[in-house]
Structures are given as structure tokens and as C-alpha cells.
Amino acid sequence: MVKSNMAHIIDGKKIAETTRADITARVEAFKNENGFVPGLAVVIVGENPASKVYVRNKKLASEQAGMYSVVCEMPENTTQEELMAKLSQLKADEKIHGILVQLPLPKHLNESEVLRFIPPEKDVDAFHAENTGHIMIGDYHFLPCTPAGVMTMLKYENIDVAGKKCVVIGRSNIVGKPMAMLLLHADGTVTVCHSKTQNLAEIIRQADILVVAIGRAKFVTGDMVKPGAVVIDVGMNRDENGKLCGDCDFESCEKVAGAITPVPGGVGPMTITTLLENTLRAAELAVKNA
Ligand code: NAP
């Protein structure tokens, strides 16, 4: 097969491994200096199978990095009061530096109240309004895991954002909006698109750096991509055969793009990597503020 006309594949697994090795070394140094290790608590309510896999992976990754890790599994019928009581306990626990509540929560629970209740200094998902505000200003301790993971990838690949036309498709609080903000901080010229955007394909075609986070299997096709563009596919979907796939049609995009992330093995591994970085940072903050 002739590979020369194909995009460079950005290997998220490899970048995550390299970055995690560095975090593991920093955790070891932190332990030697302070006599304890960073601790992460992940709270999961209910039986969502995808959430259970994510939580298991987060626990495993934090333990592999040498951190202390607990998973608090709560039943589907947990009340708001019971969940808040569990969070109060974790807030007061000195061994826990980072708290993460796995989303989505069952419908009867108030998600915004939960996210507001996690103290900003233990908010390793960076979803608290105070942390969101810090991200907007560009003065932050924690960055939201997926967008920060994308920025780490771009840096690792020596892809300079400054002055580039960046198009982000999706405007969720978790991915799209903070992604746009981080690209802006890196001096990109950023356009954010969403379900009401008109002439979407035309806007996509202008992108030097395209980040797609919409949750629609194989939505972006090669004919929409600018030749040589960097295509970052955040989507995690199942195709018609139940196979994991992204928001971009990899086969056609790969023929046009200059570089592209695969799904799986692209952005996914970087998300947990940022969580580890944030947990270590939370422990460093705790030492600093003691
Ligand atoms: P979300 O909250 O559902 O937001 C989707 C966004 O896409 C919305 O802003 C929506 O626009 C926009 N959108 C939907 N259909 C569109 C269309 N046809 N054209 C243009 N815009 C469209 O999703 P999310 O949480 O951001 O996640 C997006 C994807 O990333 C999902 O596949 C998710 O599984 C994946 N994800 C992956 C990771 C990872 O670690 N790899 C992490 C998080 C999420 P409106 O605002 O107008 O509705």
C-alpha cells in the first residue's frame, strides 16, 4: 500500500504512555518529598455499563501511576442527600486530593448542585464554575481532561496553533467550549460550530486544525476537509456494525488530512492522562496551601 499520500496518524496511546511515564516519575518524587501519595476518589452512581468501564480505567491508571485511588459505588436509587453526604466525607478526607463524580448521573439527581459542591481545589475534572472561570481568564490549576489532552497531543506532535484557523465542532461544557478557549489561549483563530451552524461543510473546509466533538458517527467526511489539515476526532460512537468509531469518517479523511487521530487510540487515552496530571497537581496544591 502506498502510504505517502495518507495522513500522519497521531498515536494517542503512545503519547499517553510517554506522558504517563513522566507523571509516574513525578508522583514518586512527590512521595519522597512529602511522605504521602496523591489520592483520587471517583464516585459512580448506578449501573451505566460505559461509565463502569471508564471508572475502572481511571482507577487502574491512577494506581499504575503510583497514586492512592478509591471508587465509591452507589446504587441507582441513591438520594441527593446520600450523594452529598458521601461527597462531604471525601471533601474532609486528607488522603483524597481529587474528587470526580462520573457523569451522567441518574436523572433524579441534581448534577449542577453536585458539581458546585466539589471544592474547586479538589475538582480534578475542572467542571466547577470557579475553575471554568479560571480557564476563561487563562489562569488555572486544572484543565478539563479531554481538551487538555488534545493540547498535549498537539504539543507532542509539534503542531503550532498560533495564527492557525481552528474550527471546533461541538459546544458542550465538557469538550467544545473549553477546547475553543484553549486553542484561543494558544493564539489560534477559533470558530465554534454547533447544530444550528449554517454552511458547516464550508466552515470545516477552512480549518487548518479541526476538532470534532459532536457524537455523530463518521459525520465529517474527507470531502469536507482542507488538504493537509490536522483532524482531531474526539467522538466515541458505535457504527452500524457496533464497532467503536469517531465523528470523522477515518477512511476518507485520512486521504486528505495532513495528520489525524484514530478512534480508538487517539484522544481517548489522553483524557485519563490529564486526570492523572490534575490529581498530582491537586496534591501539590494541598501541600502548598497547608
Ligand atoms: P454533547 O454534550 O452531546 O454535545 C454535542 C455537541 O455537538 C453540541 O454542541 C451539539 O450542538 C453539537 N452537534 C450535534 N450534532 C451536530 C451536527 N449535526 N452538526 C453540528 N454540531 C452538532 O457531547 P460531548 O459530551 O461534547 O461529546 C461529544 C463526543 O465526544 C461524543 O461522541 C462523546 O462520546 C465524545 N467524548 C469523548 C471523550 C474522550 O475521552 N475521547 C470525552 C468526552 C466526550 P448543539 O449545542 O447545538 O446541540
Side-chain angles (χ1 to χ4, degrees), residues 54 146 169-172 174-176 193-196 200 212-216 219 234-237 247 267-268 271:
Y54 294 144
T146 301
I169 320 179
R171 56 171 164 182
S172 70
I174 294 175
V175 187
C193 302
H194 45 79
S195 67
K196 309 289 187 296
L200 183 61
V212 193
I214 57 178
R216 301 267 183 278
F219 181 89
V234 179
M236 290 236 260
N237 316 289
D247 288 343
V267 175
T271 297

